[in-house]
Amino acid sequence: MASEPAAAVRVLTGRYRAVRPRVGNGLGHPPAEDVETVMGFAFRAPSLWRHEYGGRVAVAETNFPPWVEPGLSFPGDGWPWRFGPDPARLVVPALRELPAGRPTEHDGRAAVRTEMAGPEGMTLELVVDSGTGMVLRASAPGTAYVEELSELAFPEALPDDRFVRPEDDGSADRAEQLRWERIREHYRTRPLPVPASWPGPLGRPSPIDGDPDTGYVVVDLDNEPSPGTPTAAQLVRQPLGEPPYFEGWARDPGHHLQRWRDARWQWTLVLSDHPLTVEQLERVRRELASGE
C-alpha cells in the first residue's frame, strides 16, 4: 500500500517525546531512572526546524538530505539508546511505501502497526502514519525506549520569524555570569559537601552550579584516575522540597545516577563509567548525613 510522498509534508508542527533507558548501577541498587525528553517543534521543508524545550528555543537547519530511506539509527557503542532526541528521527526517515501491518491509529491519525529490526538484535515496533509515512511511534518491547509524535498539525504556512533564532541582547549571559560569581564567592569561605570517604583520589572539587540562598549546589568532584572508580563525578545537594535534579550530565542515559535523601537534603550522584557499589555509596551517605 503506497503512502503519500513524504516530500508532500511542507509544514508541520507538533510535540515530540522520547524515553531513553539509563545504564544501570549494578546489583543491590534500585532500577535506573529513564530519561524523558519532551519538546514542541515546527518544521518547514526542506530542512528548517524550531525546537522548544525547557523554556529554550533553538532554530537549526539539518545538514542531511531531508527525505531519506527509513531507519532509526542508534550509536554502536554497546548502549543503543544513547541517541540525541530529535523529532527529525521520526519525521525525516519517512517511509515511501507503507509496510505490511495492521491498521491502527495514533493520536487520532490513521496508521499502520508494523515491525523492523532494531539495535543489538531487538525488534522495533512502529506505528506509521497512513497519510505521510512518518513514524508516529517507535518502541522496543521489554525496554522503556519510546519515541513518538503527537499534536500534529499541517498548516498552510508558518511565519518566517518562527525560524529565526530569537534576539539575544546579552542580558541572559550577564545574569548567568553574575550568578556564577556569587556561587564561587559564597564557597570561597564555606566548605563544599565533598565526602572524604570517596573511593579514589580527588583533585580540587569546585562548585559549578547552585543557589547560596537555598543550599542547592552542584559540585564537580574532580576525580583523579584510579582503577575501578568513575573517571568523572558530580555531587548534587538540594533542599528536600525541590524537584529531583535532572540537568546537565543527568540527561545523558549513559551516565549513572544514584539518589538518596537524609533528614535535611536530597542528594544526587552523577557518575561516568563506574557507579559506586552499595557499600561505597553507604559510606558516602553516612558521611554526608553527619556533615553540614
Side-chain angles (χ1 to χ4, degrees):
M1 175 181 177
S3 69
E4 178 184 343
V9 179
R10 306 302 301 171
V11 182
L12 173 67
T13 66
R15 179 176 177 269
Y16 166 79
R17 172 177 175 261
V19 179
R20 296 174 291 164
R22 185 183 297 279
V23 62
N25 291 322
L27 293 176
H29 289 288
E33 298 178 16
D34 304 323
V35 181
E36 183 178 45
T37 301
V38 177
M39 69 175 75
F41 71 91
F43 166 73
R44 187 168 71 187
S47 54
L48 281 174
W49 292 88
R50 173 189 173 99
H51 297 161
E52 300 179 24
Y53 171 70
R56 298 183 296 273
V57 174
V59 176
E61 185 163 5
T62 54
N63 58 1
F64 48 81
W67 307 112
V68 297
E69 294 298 327
L72 293 169
S73 62
F74 301 92
D77 60 359
W79 190 242
W81 312 118
R82 290 183 65 183
F83 58 88
D86 187 336
R89 291 170 52 81
L90 303 185
V91 173
V92 172
L95 304 182
R96 301 181 188 280
E97 296 289 330
L98 285 181
R102 303 183 303 279
T104 184
E105 71 169 36
H106 176 80
D107 199 40
R109 295 188 61 80
V112 170
R113 184 181 300 276
T114 187
E115 296 179 348
M116 67 175 283
E120 297 191 351
M122 295 180 181
T123 297
L124 297 183
E125 291 189 351
L126 305 183
V127 176
V128 181
D129 187 74
S130 296
T132 65
M134 292 186 301
V135 178
L136 299 177
R137 191 176 195 275
S139 60
T143 80
Y145 162 72
V146 64
E147 290 180 89
E148 61 184 346
L149 302 175
S150 61
E151 301 175 21
L152 296 179
F154 299 81
E156 290 186 5
L158 287 171
D160 289 343
D161 59 12
R162 289 292 301 278
F163 298 98
V164 175
R165 194 177 302 276
E167 291 283 342
D168 182 2
D169 61 4
S171 59
D173 289 341
R174 289 193 295 273
E176 183 64 18
Q177 181 63 28
L178 289 173
R179 190 178 75 89
W180 162 239
E181 289 176 358
R182 182 167 175 257
I183 295 167
R184 184 173 56 185
E185 184 63 29
H186 181 82
Y187 285 105
R188 279 202 178 104
T189 57
R190 294 170 178 84
L192 288 167
V194 177
S197 57
W198 190 257
L202 300 177
R204 299 180 64 181
S206 60
I208 58 175
D209 200 355
D211 181 356
D213 292 337
T214 66
Y216 160 57
V217 65
V218 182
V219 181
D220 180 353
L221 291 178
D222 192 24
N223 291 42
E224 295 186 351
S226 181
T229 62
T231 57
Q234 295 175 354
L235 176 65
V236 184
R237 182 184 70 187
Q238 295 176 272
L240 293 173
E242 289 187 359
Y245 181 79
F246 242 126
E247 300 299 322
W249 282 7
R251 293 197 195 111
D252 185 338
H255 283 117
H256 303 273
L257 207 67
Q258 298 180 325
R259 298 195 197 272
W260 71 95
R261 300 165 73 91
D262 57 32
R264 185 177 178 189
W265 303 106
Q266 58 174 314
W267 301 87
T268 303
L269 265 175
V270 189
L271 308 116
S272 56
D273 35 17
H274 289 283
L276 298 192
T277 67
V278 172
E279 295 77 12
Q280 290 170 338
L281 182 60
E282 182 57 30
R283 286 194 292 271
V284 168
R285 292 176 57 166
R286 286 199 303 266
E287 180 183 350
L288 292 173
S290 63
E292 180 188 3

